[in-house]
Amino acid sequence: MSKYYVTTPIYYVNGAPHIGHAYTTIVADALARYHRQRGEEVFLLTGTDEHGLKVQREAEKQGISPQQLAETNSAKFKELFEKLGITHDRFIRTTEEDHKRAVTAMVQRMLAAGDIYLDKYEGWYSAADEAYYDASEIADGVAIASKSAVEWVEEESYFFKLSKYAQPLLAWYNEKPNCIAPAGRRNEVISFVEGGLRDLSISRTTFSWGVAMPGDPKHVLYVWVDALTNYISAVGAFEDEQQFDKLWPADVHLIGKDILRFHAVYWPAFLMSAGLALPGQIFAHGWWTNEGEKMSKSRGNFIDAFELADAYDLDVLRYYLLREVPLGNDGNFSKERLVERNNSELADNLGNLVNRSFAMTQRFLDGELGGYVATDDALDQGIRESARATAADVDRFMNDCETHRAVERLLGFSGELNLYVQQTQPWKLSKDGDTERLAAALYHVLEGIRFIAVLGSAFLPDASKKILTGFGLNAPEDLLLSTVAQFGKLAAGTRLSQPEVLFAKYETKPKEDALPKADKAAKPKAENKPEAKSDNNDKAGLIDFDLFGKVELRVGLIVKAERVEGADKLLKLSADLGEAELRTIVAGIAKSFAPEDLEGRRVAMATNLKPAKLFGILSQAMILAAETEDGKLELAQYSDNVKAGTRIK
Ligand code: MSP
């Protein structure tokens, strides 16, 4: 059985987890889940980096021991990953004994190779980055690349002969063109190494929070020697040969672009020195900004990972992060974009497809699926071809870590299936009594949906599970990619049950509200209702009850009303609709009502219209009014007996 070993960086415990930490871990988790579906033996590693000057200083600042700080913050990362449904096989902590033993063993090997010597370090160091910098990389007291403060260091230090490995490293980059990805990052690394490598200081004597230098305990090992070793200590290096031989070398080290030098230069050099195999690939992803702004401590605008996890459904968050930017590029986190992607791509496209298809099968076929027939119909053939192509494309994209293309492809196929439903019109086939065509059309849609559920399970695990449960496919094997090697696996006689709503729509929120607030940022708005019966009542101007049901009317309590400057017809209202936050409504009723007449009234509002901007104000609902003969408006009103937010039916 082939194996797949994927790692995330281990996270510093000097602070709380933010979106960057969640992102890398979610991407790695999607890769791991997908490879498990291939039937491979997968090992997903994540954890925390707990030693070093940065952690020691933060602990001093807080007046606690570094170990205490590590305990508290490591637990937060663990809790976060549980909340995010991360399927890691080990959560490593660098304060664990087996890890510390492996670090010692690693350095002993580097010593035995004659690659370590004692000297004196004189130069710049940044505790924030835990990195040494050349004078050419410093300006105005900060490292140019990271803007982190640097300090001058002069002390006795052990050095690693990094210079000796410049040529072997270049040979490796050359022989294995994919060992650093994306290609632009590879080029960056190559030109850095071609510029010449200086030996690397790997120990310090001025602080103590770390693993001691073997044979010279007044030196503590440089935190990156310690941290990088986690990738091998976690899988039994120097202790459990069987596990180590099975899993090492890692297939992918997934990292952020800021820590590329450590992974693509230092780490392979350490491994060469210790006589160990080199990783398959180091993939550097980009950085997220928050609504267009770089996240930083000074701005205080880090997007808290727990707030994210609380504010959005996990599938939606995963989908947005994976879909929004190509892995490797920088991305901008925008709540508005997330809501848009959820509402139009997940809810309207995939959610609607699943709901309507299951509902139609219920209605027209009594919930039972006919058998697969490889019909001659061109539309059917098109769906079969697309299903096969989707599976092949997703596989290729996942091999290349192109997660954004994989999800895009899946949603594209969902769009094709929606179109197929429009074209085949199952409701018409049912009316006409064309049962054979009806059964074939619904089979093709549902089998297509099964393809999406299986192929999408790494990205949208919850939705995928709901869909597969709707088919009664709950065994772990039902997730294997081998089940989508062929179109037509859904068995005749399969009884369907309507899946729970897959994706609730979110309200679009005004831009100013930049950071997601727990449980407020995104409130589910409307559910995807099963497709309305499309009988042709249009001519008579009649609509189905289902269509009426799509309009959400609620009782809104007007809490505040004020004039809109420069618009004499408009009033700006704040209304309580029984939600966590008040909604803003811009209404053209100023000629009929003074603001103070409105406050405290309970009136009818349409609450699931697309928000619209009026005079720069985002209006999030519409107030219902009728006009008298002389042009005055009156509102549909309720007494205090009706609670704000009550649905009007
Ligand atoms: N402890 C080291 C890694 C050691 S791995 C052997 C470290 N830790 S970190 O907590 O500072 O950063 C962890 C990861 O978060 C890095 O990959 C970094 O790129 C990533 N991110 C930090 N800020 C980020 C964004 N704004 N956006 C995306 N990822 C970001 O470095």
Side-chain angles (χ1 to χ4, degrees):
M1 194 200 283
S2 59
K3 64 90 189 175
Y4 182 75
Y5 176 23
V6 53
T7 67
T8 74
I10 46 171
Y11 305 109
Y12 285 130
V13 287
N14 63 311
H18 59 67
I19 185 174
H21 305 126
Y23 177 59
T24 327
T25 317
I26 286 174
V27 176
D29 180 66
L31 291 169
R33 284 177 187 254
Y34 188 80
H35 282 265
R36 285 193 198 103
Q37 290 185 274
R38 278 194 182 157
E40 294 172 6
E41 182 165 342
V42 170
F43 198 92
L44 168 59
L45 175 68
T46 189
T48 40
D49 189 354
E50 306 186 3
H51 290 134
L53 189 56
K54 173 170 164 140
V55 171
Q56 177 165 324
R57 283 198 180 153
E58 179 61 30
E60 277 160 12
K61 213 167 97 190
Q62 294 188 20
I64 54 176
S65 71
Q67 183 70 37
Q68 271 173 314
L69 180 67
E71 293 300 332
T72 311
N73 282 336
S74 181
K76 283 189 192 152
F77 280 94
K78 236 185 199 161
E79 189 192 330
L80 173 72
F81 296 156
E82 214 150 278
K83 211 172 171 119
L84 291 176
I86 303 300
T87 58
H88 48 280
D89 296 280
R90 179 165 176 185
F91 182 102
I92 191 170
R93 301 184 50 190
T94 53
T95 47
E96 285 172 307
E97 289 307 319
D98 67 336
H99 170 76
K100 291 195 277 184
R101 284 197 301 275
V103 174
T104 308
M106 181 75 183
V107 175
Q108 275 163 343
R109 286 217 182 185
M110 290 151 72
L111 278 165
D115 284 344
I116 293 178
Y117 61 91
L118 188 62
D119 203 340
K120 187 175 173 204
Y121 179 75
E122 277 189 8
W124 296 103
Y125 192 76
S126 156
D129 302 344
E130 295 283 21
Y132 298 94
Y133 287 109
D134 278 350
S136 63
E137 296 173 299
I138 305 291
D140 305 325
V142 298
I144 296 165
S146 63
K147 308 274 182 296
S148 302
V150 290
E151 55 202 285
W152 183 256
V153 170
E154 266 186 46
E155 59 184 281
E156 184 185 87
S157 170
Y158 284 93
F159 281 79
F160 170 68
K161 288 185 185 165
L162 187 62
S163 56
K164 174 178 155 185
Y165 289 95
Q167 283 317 313
L169 284 169
L170 289 169
W172 180 53
Y173 307 144
N174 200 27
E175 257 165 50
K176 298 269 159 70
N178 287 327
C179 69
I180 302 166
R185 298 287 167 212
R186 174 173 176 266
N187 297 339
E188 246 173 55
V189 171
I190 291 178
S191 47
F192 173 73
V193 177
E194 278 176 347
L197 290 179
R198 296 228 228 152
D199 289 350
L200 179 71
S201 160
I202 57 156
S203 76
R204 302 285 302 272
T205 52
T206 44
F207 73 97
S208 56
W209 181 235
V211 180
M213 175 75 194
D216 195 351
K218 74 173 186 297
H219 284 257
V220 66
L221 284 166
Y222 176 36
V223 67
W224 275 99
V225 174
D226 176 340
L228 288 161
T229 303
N230 94 90
Y231 299 133
I232 56 173
S233 67
V235 292
F238 316 117
E239 300 199 345
D240 181 346
E241 239 174 73
Q242 209 190 343
Q243 190 195 27
F244 187 65
D245 290 349
K246 190 168 67 187
L247 291 170
W248 189 254
D251 294 80
V252 183
H253 289 316
L254 190 67
I255 58 164
K257 63 181 183 181
D258 54 316
I259 53 176
L260 183 61
R261 195 183 290 182
F262 304 100
H263 283 81
V265 181
Y266 301 174
W267 179 227
F270 296 165
L271 287 166
M272 286 180 195
S273 170
L276 297 171
L278 306 186
Q281 184 173 63
I282 295 146
F283 199 114
H285 67 68
W287 269 40
W288 287 89
T289 48
N290 178 7
E291 307 283 354
E293 282 196 355
K294 191 174 185 288
M295 289 185 286
S296 68
K297 261 199 179 155
S298 53
R299 284 197 176 95
N301 64 345
F302 275 106
I303 301 178
D304 180 289
F306 282 100
E307 285 191 4
L308 271 185
D310 284 339
Y312 303 108
D313 289 338
L314 285 189
D315 276 8
V316 178
L317 184 61
R318 284 172 83 95
Y319 176 77
Y320 172 74
L321 292 176
L322 293 169
R323 174 71 187 85
E324 185 72 359
V325 285
L327 191 65
N329 290 13
D330 290 338
N332 176 36
F333 182 85
S334 144
K335 256 169 64 178
E336 220 166 74
R337 290 287 296 146
L338 183 150
V339 169
E340 261 170 41
R341 284 205 183 275
N342 172 66
N343 291 3
S344 66
E345 294 168 24
L346 293 176
D348 283 348
N349 180 348
L350 181 56
N352 188 35
L353 171 75
V354 172
N355 267 309
R356 75 203 296 215
S357 308
F358 274 73
M360 284 190 291
T361 314
Q362 223 50 266
R363 200 175 318 139
F364 304 141
L365 297 179
D366 247 353
E368 188 170 318
L369 215 60
Y372 170 57
V373 182
T375 44
D376 289 337
D377 186 280
L379 290 177
D380 296 2
Q381 282 176 10
I383 289 301
R384 301 200 291 262
E385 196 28 58
S386 257
R388 274 183 218 112
T390 302
D393 287 348
V394 168
D395 206 57
R396 188 160 43 87
F397 297 146
M398 291 307 274
N399 274 339
D400 297 341
C401 291
E402 291 186 302
T403 38
H404 69 292
R405 294 185 76 186
V407 275
E408 183 186 30
R409 186 74 181 86
L410 286 171
L411 268 290
F413 184 44
S414 170
E416 286 174 50
L417 288 168
N418 269 317
L419 182 65
Y420 173 86
V421 171
Q422 288 317 119
Q423 289 168 328
T424 52
Q425 303 193 1
W427 50 90
K428 191 159 178 297
L429 296 171
S430 167
K431 209 168 148 199
D432 298 346
D434 191 348
T435 42
E436 208 171 298
R437 231 6 248 135
L438 174 65
L442 287 179
Y443 187 95
H444 278 74
V445 185
L446 289 160
E447 176 67 343
I449 290 175
R450 188 185 66 86
F451 265 61
I452 293 177
V454 172
L455 291 166
S457 155
F459 316 102
L460 302 167
D462 293 340
S464 159
K465 195 162 177 216
K466 285 181 190 165
I467 298 173
L468 291 174
T469 302
F471 289 123
L473 298 172
N474 291 317
E477 303 81 69
D478 295 325
L479 275 182
L480 290 178
L481 295 177
S482 54
T483 66
V484 291
Q486 236 184 323
F487 192 89
K489 281 219 159 195
L490 265 181
T494 299
R495 285 214 70 83
L496 305 191
S497 54
Q498 186 77 25
E500 289 168 51
V501 171
L502 298 186
F503 307 104
K505 282 197 179 182
Y506 295 141
E507 289 161 17
T508 312
K509 285 279 166 179
K511 254 212 162 115
E512 313 79 74
D513 188 11
L515 283 168
K517 299 272 180 302
D519 75 53
K520 284 191 203 150
K523 276 268 152 218
K525 187 176 63 177
E527 297 181 347
N528 308 319
K529 286 272 153 29
E531 159 114 325
K533 251 193 211 137
S534 296
D535 285 345
N536 241 341
N537 281 318
D538 292 1
K539 284 187 213 112
L542 300 177
I543 58 165
D544 281 310
F545 185 72
D546 281 351
L547 182 56
F548 171 68
K550 284 185 178 164
V551 180
E552 202 182 61
L553 298 173
R554 291 187 187 278
V555 176
L557 167 62
I558 301 174
V559 176
K560 197 169 162 214
E562 55 199 305
R563 299 197 181 279
V564 176
E565 233 184 69
D568 56 358
K569 283 194 187 142
L570 299 182
L571 288 183
K572 182 182 162 198
L573 314 175
S574 299
D576 179 357
L577 281 151
E579 299 165 324
E581 281 179 334
L582 298 180
R583 287 209 206 181
T584 301
I585 296 131
V586 183
I589 54 173
K591 297 262 182 217
S592 303
F593 301 100
E596 55 278 13
D597 287 341
L598 291 169
E599 290 175 5
R601 289 209 207 182
R602 289 162 199 263
V603 298
M605 294 183 169
T607 51
N608 64 340
L609 290 167
K610 284 201 176 109
K613 229 176 203 173
L614 293 165
F615 273 75
I617 308 167
L618 194 70
S619 181
Q620 302 165 304
M622 194 180 87
I623 191 163
L624 301 189
E627 206 172 340
T628 60
E629 273 184 2
D630 57 0
K632 282 273 172 224
L633 296 173
E634 287 194 14
L635 305 176
Q637 201 162 329
Y638 291 87
S639 74
D640 293 357
N641 296 335
V642 186
K643 260 177 61 185
T646 303
R647 183 99 191 238
I648 305 169
K649 291 188 272 200

